[in-house]
Amino acid sequence: MQTPEESRKRLAMAIIEYLDKAVADSLISTDGAESLEIAKQCISDAFELDLEDDAETKALSLKPFSLDKVFDVYMATQAKLESSNNTAGSSTDKAPVDATPTTNTASGPSDEDRMRADAFKAEGNSFVTQKNYKNAIDAYTRAIDLVSDTAVYYGNRAAAYSQNGEYEKAVADAKQALKIDPSYSKGYSRLGLAHYGLGQYKEAADAYTDGLALDPGNKGMLESLESAKSKLDASSVSDRAASPASPAAQSAAGSGGGFDLASLMSNPALMNMAQSMMANGGLESLMSNPSVSRMAENFRNTGQTPSMADMMNNPELMDMARNMSGSAGSTGNAGATDSGANSGSSGAGSNPLASLMNNPALMNMARQFMQGNNGGSGSQQ
C-alpha cells in the first residue's frame, strides 16, 4: 500500500506527464510551452521529484494511462450519475449506474475497472461531505462491485453506514476491510464507531485499542477510546447498582424481596433513635467520623450502599459503637459524659447509637442482612 507521500508524488508526476503530453500534442502555443517548462520545474522542486532519475520517474509514472484519461472516466461517471438522478426525479431513488466489470480475468480487475472504481469512491466521498449517506453507500457499493479487493472501499462504506444508523452493516464492512488489509488502521476506527453505535462499548474499546497499536498518534481514536471506556465504566456501575439481591439475602429476609428498607424505616425504635440523634447533636458527631464520611462519599460516587458485613467488620465503627455503648452502660452518669444535654437521662436511652446496637429487633435484621450479603458475595465482581 502506498504511503500518502508516495501518492502525492505520483499525482505530481501525473501532472508533469500531462503537461508534456499537451506540449507534444501541440495543444498550446510556443510561449505557453515555455511557461509549462517553468511550471514543471516548480512542481518537481515542490514535491522533491528528480526528473533526471529514470528509475524514479518510471516508478511514479501512470503510463500507459494519463491524467486526462482518468479525468475523462471521472466526468463520464459524473454525467451518468446526474442523468440517473434527473430521470428518477429524486436523489434517493436513482437508476443504477453501470458498474459491470469490463473484463473478467483470473488476475483480477483490469486497470480500467480500478480507475472506474476510484471514480465511484470519489463520488462517494463527495456525497459524504454533503451528508448524503444513502447515495454515498450506493457509490461505494459500485466501487466494490468493480473491485472487491480494496480495503478502503469497504472502510468508507462502513463509515457511511454508521452515519446512516446502519451499524450492523458497518460492523460487517469494517471486518471485511480488515480481512483484506489487517494493517488498515482506519478499519479499526470504523469498527469501533459501529460497535459504539450499537452500545457495544467493550468491543468498541477493543477496536480502538487495536487501531492505536497501528497508529499510536491518532488523536481521533484516542478520544474515541476514552469515550468508549467512560461509557463502559458507567455501564458497569449501573449494572452493579441494578443487580438483584442474592438468593441467600432474599431467603434471610423471609419474603423474597431482599433487605426491606421500608420496614426498617418504619421501625419505631429506629425512628426514635433518629429523632434523638438530631435533637442532641449525635447525628452531626456520627457524620464527622472518618469511616462514615468515606462510606457517604463512596455512595455519592458509585450509588452503592455499604454492606452490613463491611460495617460490622470496620474497626473504627465498632470502636465507636463500643465506646458509645459503654458510656451508656448501667449508670446514668456515664451517659452524661458524652453530652451534657442528656445528663438527666439514663443508660442506653442517653445514647442513640447504643440504643440501636442494643435493640433486639434491629440487630436481628442486621444479622439477617449480613448473612444474606455473605451468602451472595461469591458472585460479585
Side-chain angles (χ1 to χ4, degrees):
M1 177 179 294
Q2 289 184 344
T3 65
E5 182 180 0
E6 290 172 339
S7 296
R8 288 191 292 268
K9 285 189 173 184
R10 291 203 71 184
L11 179 57
M13 181 60 72
I15 294 172
I16 290 174
E17 288 179 339
Y18 172 71
L19 297 181
D20 285 337
K21 185 175 183 294
V23 172
D25 293 346
S26 301
L27 300 178
I28 56 176
S29 65
T30 302
D31 291 340
E34 293 178 357
S35 298
L36 291 186
E37 284 298 323
I38 297 174
K40 285 170 51 181
Q41 187 61 46
C42 292
I43 293 172
S44 62
D45 290 343
F47 288 89
E48 299 180 352
L49 301 177
D50 186 357
L51 299 181
E52 297 182 358
D53 186 337
D54 293 338
E56 180 179 8
T57 55
K58 183 177 180 180
L60 297 175
S61 176
L62 288 182
K63 293 179 180 179
F65 299 99
S66 61
L67 193 60
D68 56 330
K69 288 184 179 180
V70 174
F71 185 71
D72 287 342
V73 171
Y74 171 79
M75 293 302 295
T77 302
Q78 178 72 16
K80 288 182 179 180
L81 286 172
E82 291 177 354
S83 175
S84 63
N85 284 340
N86 293 334
T87 301
S90 170
S91 62
T92 58
D93 297 315
K94 307 189 308 299
V97 177
D98 181 21
T100 304
T102 57
T103 57
N104 291 310
T105 63
S107 60
S110 66
D111 290 335
E112 181 180 351
D113 287 340
R114 291 189 181 279
M115 288 171 46
R116 293 171 64 200
D118 276 340
F120 280 124
K121 184 194 77 170
E123 283 295 323
N125 293 347
S126 177
F127 282 129
V128 168
T129 61
Q130 301 169 31
K131 301 187 185 302
N132 189 340
Y133 302 118
K134 184 180 185 303
N135 281 5
I137 291 168
D138 290 343
Y140 294 137
T141 298
R142 293 186 179 97
I144 291 171
D145 288 341
L146 287 167
V147 179
S148 61
D149 60 0
T150 302
V152 173
Y153 300 160
Y154 287 97
N156 286 9
R157 191 171 69 173
Y161 273 137
S162 287
Q163 293 293 340
N164 205 43
E166 300 178 74
Y167 298 113
E168 293 86 353
K169 292 180 179 179
V171 168
D173 267 4
K175 288 183 176 179
Q176 181 62 26
L178 292 169
K179 181 178 180 181
I180 294 172
D181 182 6
S183 66
Y184 177 50
S185 62
K186 281 189 177 180
Y188 290 105
S189 178
R190 311 299 195 221
L191 183 60
L193 177 61
H195 279 307
Y196 191 96
L198 290 170
Q200 299 168 346
Y201 303 121
K202 182 182 183 304
E203 290 80 358
D206 290 343
Y208 290 131
T209 300
D210 290 340
L212 287 167
L214 295 171
D215 188 6
N218 191 306
K219 293 182 179 180
M221 275 199 284
L222 283 169
E223 293 174 358
S224 297
L225 175 60
E226 291 304 314
S227 179
K229 285 183 176 180
S230 177
K231 287 285 189 180
L232 186 59
D233 292 342
S235 177
S236 298
V237 170
S238 177
D239 289 344
R240 289 196 299 269
S243 62
S246 67
Q250 294 176 2
S251 175
S255 61
F259 187 62
D260 192 348
L261 182 60
S263 297
L264 178 62
M265 295 304 294
S266 64
N267 186 287
L270 178 62
M271 297 310 295
N272 288 337
M273 180 272 293
Q275 292 171 0
S276 175
M277 291 182 72
M278 287 189 288
N280 63 19
L283 181 60
E284 181 179 355
S285 175
L286 179 64
M287 292 307 297
S288 66
N289 181 276
S291 293
V292 176
S293 297
R294 283 195 296 271
M295 286 190 294
E297 181 68 22
N298 182 64
F299 177 75
R300 282 195 298 268
N301 292 336
T302 67
Q304 291 181 288
T305 57
S307 70
M308 185 60 72
D310 289 340
M311 289 190 289
M312 296 296 287
N313 290 324
N314 187 301
E316 293 181 10
L317 290 180
M318 294 309 296
D319 285 345
M320 179 180 68
R322 281 193 293 269
N323 291 336
M324 296 179 74
S325 178
S327 67
S330 60
T331 64
N333 292 333
T337 60
D338 273 345
S339 174
N342 290 329
S343 59
S345 300
S346 64
S350 66
N351 191 303
L353 184 59
S355 297
L356 175 65
M357 298 299 292
N358 291 326
N359 186 289
L362 293 180
M363 293 309 296
N364 183 51
M365 292 176 69
R367 281 192 296 272
Q368 290 179 348
F369 183 63
M370 184 171 65
Q371 291 167 0
N373 272 352
N374 291 338
S377 60
S379 61
Q380 297 299 317
Q381 296 181 355

